């Protein structure tokens, strides 16, 4: 195999690993966000005799909080991946 093919194969291999890592981080973040939203929804539904508008507002807030939680986890995972790539770049020099 030529040097170009070796380099390309290594690049593709790294891309696959990073994609798998990202997919795992994404799945974990979505799951954790859904768990946060679910807990908040259950708490909102426990209150008796509340107007439907108030319940709907609490449920919407729960979904927003879950999405925010998931987004924060994805940002954190992205920053960690960026730092890893920076460290790898430095070690190659």
């Amino acid at each position: 195999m030529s040097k170009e093919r070796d380099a390309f194969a290594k690049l593709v291999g790294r891309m696959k690993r990073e994609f798998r890592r990202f997919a795992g981080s994404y799945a974990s973040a979505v799951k954790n966000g859904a768990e946060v939203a679910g807990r908040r929804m259950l708490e909102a539904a426990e209150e008796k005799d509340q107007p439907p508008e108030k319940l709907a507002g609490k449920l919407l807030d729960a979904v927003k909080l879950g999405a925010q939680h998931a987004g924060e986890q994805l940002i954190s995972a992205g920053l960690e991946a960026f730092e890893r790539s920076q460290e790898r770049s430095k070690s190659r020099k």
Side-chain angles (χ1 to χ4, degrees):
M1 208 185 271
S2 70
K3 288 182 182 182
E4 291 84 16
R5 284 187 181 175
D6 285 342
F8 183 72
K10 286 180 183 178
L11 175 65
V12 170
R14 267 199 334 261
M15 288 173 62
K16 284 181 182 179
R17 282 191 302 278
E18 288 302 320
F19 179 76
R20 284 188 195 114
R21 187 175 286 142
F22 174 78
S25 296
Y26 179 82
S28 177
V30 169
K31 180 182 178 217
N32 291 338
E35 289 172 354
V36 167
R39 282 193 301 272
R40 284 293 177 104
M41 288 177 175
L42 289 173
E43 290 171 9
E46 287 176 352
E47 188 178 325
K48 306 284 188 229
D49 299 326
Q50 59 183 318
E53 298 83 18
K54 185 176 180 183
L55 177 60
K58 288 180 179 180
L59 294 176
L60 182 59
D61 288 344
V63 171
K64 288 179 186 177
L65 182 64
Q68 178 183 352
H69 186 78
E72 289 170 356
Q73 282 192 320
L74 281 175
I75 290 170
S76 177
L79 289 173
E80 288 173 10
F82 178 74
E83 289 170 358
R84 278 193 308 273
S85 75
Q86 294 292 53
E87 289 171 9
R88 270 189 245 127
S89 294
K90 289 178 184 177
S91 68
R92 287 186 206 136
K93 292 180 180 180

